[in-house]
């Protein structure tokens, strides 16, 4: 649903494109709080490869994509206490960090090609000579059927070079029990020495599309994990700008394209769980119907619709994530035993950037606080300009300045008797001044004797420093 949501957003914003790199990429979810974002790897142009494998009487549509997914083990490594990385919850939600790991990334290649019924004859048992055709009883498939076993390479097909079938490539083509009806699919994931699973799908106009799915590791990507209090994002980065962090830079001996044959067993269970083999009994499964609607009608990607190869790559991306949980961070098995009795720590090259506090807002409404910040800055700037343009003055109200003035001033007769309990009654109405002796540059308090009324009292109290320049 997230993938279709991305497509809906692209179409709404008029961002549809027939270039694979500009289309919504693979997306998934890990542990319910981490968004997983994959990448499309470069592939041969769809029109060019379709033209290459077309015949004089049949214009074949070839849909070939490869999706790279991040290494799920990076998530566990970032949270392992051994690495001593402060998590967002350790900093009351204000912390955030980013890890760029130079580790191999799992990939799934989905190769789909449109085929005619006569081209499918070597691959569909009900079309074999001696079978009962559409009336073939498929119960007990495939164990109760007389299908040649390895090392028999079966008959040649018109797509041997496209899919890599035959003794030249060391791979047998799949055999399906029957042709699926429209909006259905049948699966082949069994057999000896298989490294791929195969899906045969039929659209409403009886266009048959044969798809192969196979997994491998790539050295051309890095895995990035960004963690915050609101959740995390685990993503792959395979562009030339991120090449410096790719796994191939830290492990120059790593290679691409080594197919993992064990993944085919995982993918078979995944496909059966999604009812992608329901077409064997004309089950009309919803997933098969959805995929059949994505079969391209021409050798070009539809800007407003994902292709069947893209959809299958996104659907199967979850198997890549699960397969890399607790998996090595190398492209090979570096242990003598096939099964480890105890978990082992492995190291990998990585860059970690941390943010231990937040200096800005996290929500849009918090931008209102910028008004206060800018206002405070403006007032401080005005005060600074004033202080630079004007000479400094002494604040005699400061307690230490007032204390010094009191000690250096002569006694006042008007305040006699007030030294013990403070001024009282009429003494409170006396005027006072701070004066300066210019010859000695001496400041002192001078008290008056004149009585004043309450209304004008504040006018008689003040500072008379006209004789001194300070």
């Amino acid at each position: 649903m997230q993938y279709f949501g991305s497509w809906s957003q692209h179409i709404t914003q008029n961002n549809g494109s027939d270039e694979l790199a500009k289309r919504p990429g693979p997306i998934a979810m890990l542990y319910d709080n981490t968004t997983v974002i994959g990448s499309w790897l470069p592939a041969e142009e769809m029109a060019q490869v379709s033209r290459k494998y077309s015949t004089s009487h049949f214009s074949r549509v070839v849909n070939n994509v490869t999706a790279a997914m991040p290494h799920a083990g990076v998530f566990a490594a970032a949270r392992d206490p051994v690495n001593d990385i402060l998590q967002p919850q350790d900093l009351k939600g204000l912390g955030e960090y980013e890890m760029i790991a130079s580790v191999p990334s799992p990939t799934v290649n989905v190769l789909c090609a449109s085929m005619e019924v006569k081209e499918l004859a070597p691959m569909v048992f009900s079309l074999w000579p001696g079978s009962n055709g559409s009336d073939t009883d498929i119960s007990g498939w495939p164990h109760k059927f007389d299908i040649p076993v390895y090392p028999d390479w079966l008959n040649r097909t018109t797509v041997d070079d496209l899919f890599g079938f035959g003794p030249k490539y060391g791979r047998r083509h799949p055999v399906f029990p029957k042709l699926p009806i429209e909006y259905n699919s049948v699966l082949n994931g069994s057999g000896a020495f298989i490294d791929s699973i195969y899906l045969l799908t039929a659209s409403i106009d009886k266009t048959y599309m044969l798809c192969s799915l196979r997994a491998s590791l790539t050295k051309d990507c890095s895995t990035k994990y960004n963690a915050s209090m609101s959740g995390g994002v685990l993503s792959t980065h395979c562009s030339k700008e991120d090449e410096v962090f790719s796994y191939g830079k830290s492990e120059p001996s790593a290679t691409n394209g080594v197919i993992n044959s064990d993944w085919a067993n995982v993918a078979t269970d995944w496909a059966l769980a999604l009812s992608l083999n329901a077409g064997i009994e004309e089950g009309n499964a919803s997933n098969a119907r959805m995929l059949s609607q994505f079969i391209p009608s021409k050798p070009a990607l539809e800007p407003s619709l994902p292709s069947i190869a893209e959809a299958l790559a996104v659907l199967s991306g979850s198997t890549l994530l699960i397969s890399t949980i607790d998996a090595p961070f190398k492209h090979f098995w570096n242990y003598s035993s096939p099964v480890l009795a105890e978990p082992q720590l492995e190291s990998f090259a990585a860059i970690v950037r941390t943010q231990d506090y937040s200096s800005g807002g996290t929500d849009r409404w918090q931008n209102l606080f910028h008004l206060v910040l800018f206002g405070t800055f403006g007032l401080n700037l005005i005060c600074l300009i004033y202080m630079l343009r004007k000479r400094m003055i002494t604040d005699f109200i400061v307690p230490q300045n007032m204390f010094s003035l009191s000690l250096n001033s002569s006694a006042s007769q008007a305040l006699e008797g007030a030294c013990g309990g403070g001024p009282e009654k009429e003494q409170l109405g006396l005027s006072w001044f701070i004066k300066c002796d210019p010859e000695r540059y001496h400041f002192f308090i001078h008290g008056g004797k004149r009585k004043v009324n309450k209304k004008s009292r504040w006018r008689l109290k003040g500072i008379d420093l006209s004789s001194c320049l300070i």
Side-chain angles (χ1 to χ4, degrees), residues 210-279:
L210 175 65
C211 296
S212 69
L213 288 81
R214 57 191 62 153
S216 63
L217 294 177
T218 180
K219 66 174 182 177
D220 298 330
C221 302
S222 61
T223 295
K224 180 185 291 186
Y225 176 56
N226 183 280
S228 62
M229 196 61 185
S230 59
V233 177
L234 189 67
S235 58
T236 54
H237 294 266
C238 309
S239 62
K240 292 185 178 180
E241 293 77 7
D242 302 301
E243 186 179 9
V244 66
F245 302 113
S246 65
Y247 178 68
K249 292 296 182 179
S250 59
E251 285 287 345
S253 62
T255 58
N256 288 332
V258 179
I259 299 174
N260 190 319
S261 57
D262 293 332
W263 178 82
N265 300 319
V266 177
T268 299
D269 291 339
W270 159 81
L272 292 174
L274 293 182
S275 300
L276 296 184
N277 195 37

Side-chain angles (χ1 to χ4, degrees), residues 312-324:
L312 281 171
V314 174
L315 276 175
S316 60
S318 59
T319 64
L320 301 180
L321 283 176
I322 296 174
S323 299
T324 55

